Amino acid sequence: MTTERGRFITFEGGEGAGKTTQVGKLVEALAASGRPVLRTREPGGSPGAEKLRSLLLAGGVDWAPQAETLLHFAARADHVAKLIRPALAAESWVVCDRFYDSTMAYQGYGQGAGRPFIAEQIRLLGIAPDLTIVLEVPEAVGLARLRQRGDDADRYERLDAAFHRRVREGFRAIAAAEPGRCVVVDASRDIDSVHADVIQAVRSRLGNA
């Protein structure tokens, strides 16, 4: 749990899980309840992190897995310092589309970067979400949604099915290891059903939303 006065919620999951949609619906619900809320994303969020996002998602560079990991954490460190911590200190709720679990799943499980190395970067970051919603979709559903994106797919979305399978297995392992922080939601259903489960998770873990 964070020591700041606000609440920090992250959404995680493989490609095609619907994170961006569910982040938006939760932010709307929190705002409607009168809570101050900040919506953000990773990689990115702060101006410096957004520049690194362009490098990481555009393709054209075959990063070594450990180097790619450090780029994500460089972006994350700036994001936390410039945006997340100040918002939490101002008693705002922060809802983030991806955070460090994505680095563990994508670089650790997906690309083979050392998981202990990534865990150490997480420890050094010094902040953890109060709640992480892991959106789970069957492999066939996720791949079908990816195909619908076509030419708009980023570098990670264009990687092969075996990579995405490892990423999904990584998210399952992360959620199983930290049940006090993570809630797994079946995201293969319609948007409103998934949102209802998200709201229930927020209420049960963090109070009324």
Side-chain angles (χ1 to χ4, degrees):
M1 297 288 285
T2 59
T3 58
E4 291 83 354
R5 292 169 291 175
R7 290 292 180 266
F8 183 23
I9 301 171
T10 57
F11 279 76
E12 299 285 5
E15 304 299 338
K19 293 178 305 303
T20 302
T21 297
Q22 292 302 326
V23 165
K25 289 187 72 65
L26 177 59
V27 167
E28 289 176 2
L30 291 170
S33 72
R35 296 186 186 278
V37 58
L38 171 70
R39 175 178 181 170
T40 188
R41 67 178 183 176
E42 288 208 346
S46 63
E50 288 290 332
K51 290 185 180 296
L52 287 173
R53 177 187 178 90
S54 297
L55 287 174
L56 286 161
L57 300 188
V61 178
D62 182 19
W63 303 104
Q66 194 171 69
E68 191 162 334
T69 295
L70 289 172
L71 283 172
H72 278 284
F73 274 97
R76 185 165 296 126
D78 194 70
H79 186 203
V80 168
K82 299 288 183 62
L83 198 70
I84 295 175
R85 285 193 186 277
L88 293 172
E91 302 185 4
S92 179
W93 287 45
V94 177
V95 181
C96 190
D97 185 343
R98 298 197 182 282
F99 198 56
Y100 59 57
D101 293 313
S102 279
T103 306
M104 182 62 82
Y106 279 71
Q107 279 67 56
Y109 286 84
Q111 295 181 322
R115 294 176 208 166
F117 171 75
I118 296 172
E120 178 64 8
Q121 304 313 306
I122 292 171
R123 185 190 69 80
L124 291 171
L125 190 66
I127 187 171
D130 295 290
L131 172 65
T132 296
I133 305 293
V134 180
L135 299 180
E136 170 73 18
V137 292
E139 183 177 337
V141 174
L143 290 174
R145 292 175 179 176
L146 274 183
R147 284 194 293 270
Q148 292 175 356
R149 296 179 189 176
D151 293 338
D152 292 331
D154 65 36
R155 182 169 67 89
Y156 293 116
E157 293 168 345
R158 293 193 296 267
L159 293 175
D160 63 24
F163 169 82
H164 292 293
R165 189 175 304 117
R166 293 193 298 273
V167 167
R168 288 186 176 87
E169 290 169 356
F171 280 123
R172 292 187 192 110
I174 291 165
E178 295 192 59
R181 173 173 68 86
C182 299
V183 175
V184 178
V185 173
D186 176 5
S188 64
R189 300 165 297 154
D190 65 273
I191 290 171
D192 289 339
S193 296
V194 176
H195 175 61
D197 280 3
V198 169
I199 291 294
Q200 178 57 37
V202 173
R203 287 175 174 165
S204 64
R205 299 294 183 96
L206 301 179
N208 290 332

